[in-house]
Amino acid sequence: MPRREQGWLAVAVTGWIAVNVAVLLLAPSHAPFDWPAQHDPPSGPGQVIAAQLTLVELLLLGLVAYALTRRRPDPAIAERVPPRPTAHRETWLLVAYGILAQLGGLLLGRALDWHPIGFHLAGTLVGTTDPVRPAEAIGWAGYNSLVYTLLPSLWFRRRYTAHQLCLRSADRRGDTMLIVVVLVLESLAQWATLGHAFAGLTAGQIALGAPLTLLLYLAGTVLPTVIFVQGLLVPRYARLTGSTTGTLVLGGLTYAALHVFEGWGRWGSPREFVLTVLFVLLIYALPGAFKTWLTARTGNAWVHAWAYHAVAPHTMHDTGLVVRIFRL
């Protein structure tokens, strides 16, 4: 393994251990979060165990993705962006823009008496005891579509092609095969662990709620991830780091950072703030890294959207939430 890859791997392993240890120290039992959709109240040990299971699952899915793409030419996503000085400047501008967008979502959500507008609708995956109104759900999707999808697309499409933005497949058959295999495996894993998400819903509610959930989450989190994270930032990370591992680490951290204002987050004390950040890292850094891996292997940011985002987990697990919000 090249020395650069070894360095990034050491950073990833050390950081992962540090986050897990910090969670165990700060939340040895109950954590102060509202997660009513979970079987048990959130806790440090429980989340650490769940994170390791996620790590094993994603390593296996990563091996599957590698096996399915090993004979394909290297998509060389780093070569799709300008040389380092321009890539460096664009990366920092995008990071600054993302921070402002997150703060804007926080302030707008508070001003409208909603939850903070982050990359997930309040109640996503974990549930919420604080009701979400239809206007908030639509506003969340609209804000994220505008800020993370439409505006960056309008700016960068004037300067770069769809290929350079990783928005065009170079191997449609191969990408389709990869999407189907990963989607089936992930759906089975989701069904085994979260199958209860459809419990109590009628066939009519599922028939109406599932398409609505798919569309809502496409607008609110899937397309923003495709454009802002995978299409714009990930190729620039690859250019700047010159490392696949470094690209995965930064992709995972970026995806996690965009969820820091989750509806369940708590910021009333230093301990709550730190625990919120730590739990966000445990929950989202690994999935973000895996999404980045799919983009790095295929050069197509759309692969992750259909293989490991829009359907599983969101449509499978959040249809019940949308049914309740819209009273279907």
Side-chain angles (χ1 to χ4, degrees):
M1 179 182 292
R3 181 169 298 180
R4 184 174 295 175
E5 298 291 350
Q6 292 177 356
W8 277 106
L9 183 60
V11 169
V13 172
T14 303
W16 182 247
I17 293 173
V19 168
N20 281 268
V21 171
V23 167
L24 292 174
L25 291 175
L26 288 174
S29 56
H30 180 70
F33 303 128
D34 178 28
W35 289 8
Q38 303 297 301
H39 291 300
D40 301 305
S43 69
Q47 192 55 51
V48 166
I49 293 172
Q52 310 322 306
L53 294 176
T54 299
L55 174 60
V56 172
E57 177 201 355
L58 293 183
L59 285 175
L60 293 175
L61 286 178
L63 290 174
V64 170
Y66 176 79
L68 291 173
T69 57
R70 69 187 187 282
R71 299 186 185 279
R72 293 171 59 167
D74 182 0
I77 61 174
E79 303 303 320
R80 302 184 184 190
V81 298
R84 288 179 62 88
T86 301
H88 188 271
R89 182 175 65 253
E90 290 179 342
T91 300
W92 281 110
L93 287 174
L94 284 166
V95 169
Y97 177 82
I99 292 172
L100 291 176
Q102 286 282 289
L103 293 174
L106 171 65
L107 296 175
L108 179 60
R110 293 306 190 195
L112 295 173
D113 196 27
W114 296 348
H115 299 84
I117 299 176
F119 247 45
H120 274 165
L121 180 63
T124 295
L125 299 177
V126 298
T128 180
T129 57
D130 188 11
V132 178
R133 299 185 295 264
E136 178 177 347
I138 295 171
W140 164 78
Y143 178 86
N144 283 354
S145 292
L146 173 65
V147 173
Y148 297 105
T149 302
L150 181 60
L151 294 181
S153 294
L154 290 176
W155 180 263
F156 279 90
R157 280 305 301 268
R158 296 167 57 192
R159 294 162 173 78
Y160 300 98
T161 66
H163 171 76
Q164 290 173 308
L165 297 176
C166 297
L167 298 178
R168 180 174 296 166
S169 173
D171 184 350
R172 292 184 180 181
R173 182 176 180 180
D175 286 349
T176 301
M177 176 64 71
L178 179 59
I179 288 169
V180 170
V181 171
V182 173
L183 176 59
V184 168
L185 293 175
E186 177 60 16
S187 297
L188 291 174
Q190 291 286 334
W191 193 263
T193 57
L194 305 173
H196 64 282
F198 285 130
L201 299 182
T202 66
Q205 287 174 321
I206 295 174
L208 292 174
L212 179 57
T213 303
L214 178 65
L215 292 175
L216 192 68
Y217 279 84
L218 271 174
T221 188
V222 176
L223 292 180
T225 305
V226 169
I227 300 298
F228 188 72
V229 181
Q230 300 300 320
L232 296 177
L233 281 169
V234 164
R236 284 159 179 80
Y237 290 156
R239 167 68 83 174
L240 294 177
T241 65
S243 162
T244 299
T245 307
T247 302
L248 301 185
V249 170
L250 294 179
L253 291 177
T254 301
Y255 185 70
L258 291 168
H259 294 80
V260 74
F261 291 131
E262 290 287 84
W264 50 262
R266 295 289 182 269
W267 306 280
S269 70
R271 175 179 177 270
E272 289 180 342
F273 176 80
V274 172
L275 273 176
T276 297
V277 173
L278 291 173
F279 269 57
V280 164
L281 288 171
L282 281 182
I283 296 169
Y284 296 116
L286 290 176
F290 180 67
K291 297 175 198 298
T292 302
W293 173 245
L294 293 176
T295 301
R297 292 300 301 172
T298 64
N300 183 2
W302 291 105
V303 170
H304 103 270
W306 302 114
Y308 187 78
H309 207 175
V311 178
H314 288 310
T315 301
M316 289 187 65
H317 192 58
D318 291 312
T319 295
L321 173 67
V322 171
V323 166
R324 291 190 294 275
I325 291 174
F326 289 90
R327 299 180 180 180
L328 299 179

